Amino acid sequence: ETLDVSSPNRPGPYHIGDDGSIHLTEPRGGLNAFSHVFRLPPDRRIDGLRVRFFPKAYSGKLTPFSDGVPKITTVLVSGGDQPAKQVEYHNQMRLVRATASSSTEGHGPESVLDERNLHWWRPRLEDTEPRLNITFDETIDTAESPYLTLMLFFGVSESLPFHWRVEAFSGEDTDSRFPREVADALAENRGDWTPAEREAVLEVFR
């Protein structure tokens, strides 16, 4: 359940839809960020979040800008037993993997894991409903941490979309090309792999 959405900048008029999705009627072209506060479903175990983008109904466009796609530079998440309007440093979650339904060369989804805001994920234009998936390092037990705060940084000019929704997922990230243990190993330094991780990676790439 989406409890609150806010932006420290001036993104343009926006509202929360009945399904918890965010609608921007006239996205502005400057750098921006959106904070989202969620109440998670009870008695669930959550492994990550998915951000799904939708085209505007009458135009079929994801953004009003010339390149036509949203761009995300950084994602931050925190969880806890109380709702928080901003990501809380002491409850911030470690994000270990980012995948997407598509990406353009040099703008892969892993860019959003870098908190320096230097690079960005950019989906392909032909991907009409792109999605970005973020996996946590540890599964969330919603009985202990029923609230999540997500900060999406649209830290590139002309990157705000018209419409998006954030969804929690359990289990494997469906957009990952590899099993979870292989994807986790590939995110690490090769010199830090255990023998089991090395064998799992070799099995995939043989």
Side-chain angles (χ1 to χ4, degrees):
E1 179 187 0
T2 306
L3 300 180
D4 186 69
V5 175
S6 60
S7 172
N9 310 103
R10 295 183 178 180
Y14 65 90
H15 68 276
I16 302 173
D18 292 339
D19 62 351
S21 64
I22 294 84
H23 297 258
L24 262 172
T25 53
E26 297 177 10
R28 304 286 167 77
L31 312 188
N32 223 294
F34 267 87
S35 180
H36 311 66
V37 184
F38 303 103
R39 179 164 45 217
L40 299 173
D43 302 319
R44 285 274 306 277
R45 297 179 68 82
I46 304 299
D47 291 294
L49 294 176
R50 177 176 297 112
V51 186
R52 192 184 297 269
F53 299 89
F54 303 97
K56 200 171 183 67
Y58 69 83
S59 68
K61 294 182 178 180
L62 294 167
T63 82
F65 309 113
S66 58
D67 59 4
V69 293
K71 298 178 282 291
I72 295 179
T73 50
T74 302
V75 175
L76 301 178
V77 181
S78 66
D81 58 3
Q82 297 293 325
K85 287 200 169 186
Q86 300 294 326
V87 170
E88 295 184 315
Y89 175 78
H90 294 292
N91 290 324
Q92 189 170 336
M93 305 187 63
R94 182 169 172 258
L95 311 178
V96 295
R97 185 162 68 253
T99 63
S101 55
S102 72
S103 60
T104 55
E105 186 175 356
H107 298 291
E110 67 279 356
S111 301
V112 307
L113 303 180
D114 186 347
E115 295 184 18
R116 295 175 299 171
N117 227 38
L118 298 176
H119 310 284
W120 58 92
W121 166 65
R122 174 177 172 164
R124 293 198 301 265
L125 183 60
E126 59 268 26
D127 189 353
T128 56
E129 291 191 6
R131 56 192 178 271
L132 173 70
N133 313 289
I134 303 296
T135 301
F136 310 141
D137 68 330
E138 295 182 358
T139 300
I140 293 177
D141 184 344
T142 61
E144 298 177 359
S145 296
Y147 298 97
L148 273 186
T149 302
L150 164 71
M151 181 69 86
L152 292 179
F153 288 87
F154 298 92
V156 186
S157 297
E158 300 187 342
S159 59
L160 279 175
F162 284 117
H163 183 196
W164 70 94
R165 184 174 67 233
V166 180
E167 306 164 347
F169 67 82
S170 302
E172 295 290 334
D173 160 22
T174 55
D175 283 309
S176 179
R177 294 169 20 195
F178 308 112
R180 181 164 188 165
E181 62 274 14
V182 173
D184 288 345
L186 293 174
E188 298 174 356
N189 188 307
R190 186 178 303 179
D192 296 330
W193 288 352
T194 65
E197 288 174 329
R198 187 178 302 278
E199 182 59 30
V201 172
L202 289 175
E203 187 65 29
V204 168
F205 288 100
R206 277 191 180 122

